[in-house]
Amino acid sequence: MDFRYDRSSNILFSLHDGRIKKIIFNDNILTLKIDKLFRYAENEEKIYSGDVVFYEIELDECTVLIFDKIVYEGDFSGKAIGLKEYIEKSSDMEFEILTEGYFGYNTIYTGWLWEEGKEPVSATMYIWNTGDMVYRINE
């Protein structure tokens, strides 16, 4: 079932604690495969799995910041890479979303990047798209 995000309304689903398991980019459409999407309706929380689909992606304007450790205080370092490069290198990683922000045509996910056998590190993903954003729920 598809739910289109209305940029001038409330967010239908929360991705907090959800993990991006896989990212697919094809024909200017970006698909994030997510293990948990939360929906609060009628005083009840429901958990789904599904996809978040972004149409009309500007891939050159999308970036991922990857830090060298969990960032809360003290010194840290990191690097910025394009989303295309991240997709190519992320097949064995999961991006756990801790906070999400929706600002016009810019979506920002901040969280932890998990790689098997390693401690997580902080990461921030910036997605720029001018088309629809759709929550595609597995029922």
Side-chain angles (χ1 to χ4, degrees), residues 7-57:
R7 294 182 198 274
S8 62
S9 183
N10 288 335
I11 299 166
L12 296 172
F13 293 87
S14 171
L15 305 181
H16 177 71
D17 287 337
R19 290 190 180 200
I20 301 171
K21 302 293 226 172
K22 185 176 183 179
I23 301 175
I24 301 166
F25 180 74
N26 194 16
D27 293 329
N28 282 352
I29 299 170
L30 181 72
T31 303
L32 307 179
K33 302 278 187 186
I34 301 183
D35 67 344
K36 288 188 266 185
L37 298 98
F38 299 91
R39 184 168 190 204
Y40 303 96
E42 301 169 11
N43 295 325
E44 182 180 2
E45 177 184 83
K46 294 184 179 180
I47 301 172
Y48 303 92
S49 64
D51 303 336
V52 178
V53 183
F54 296 89
Y55 293 89
E56 298 179 40
I57 283 289

Side-chain angles (χ1 to χ4, degrees), residues 66-69 71 75-79:
I66 302 173
F67 299 93
D68 62 347
K69 61 182 178 179
V71 177
D75 295 335
F76 59 87
S77 63
K79 63 181 177 178

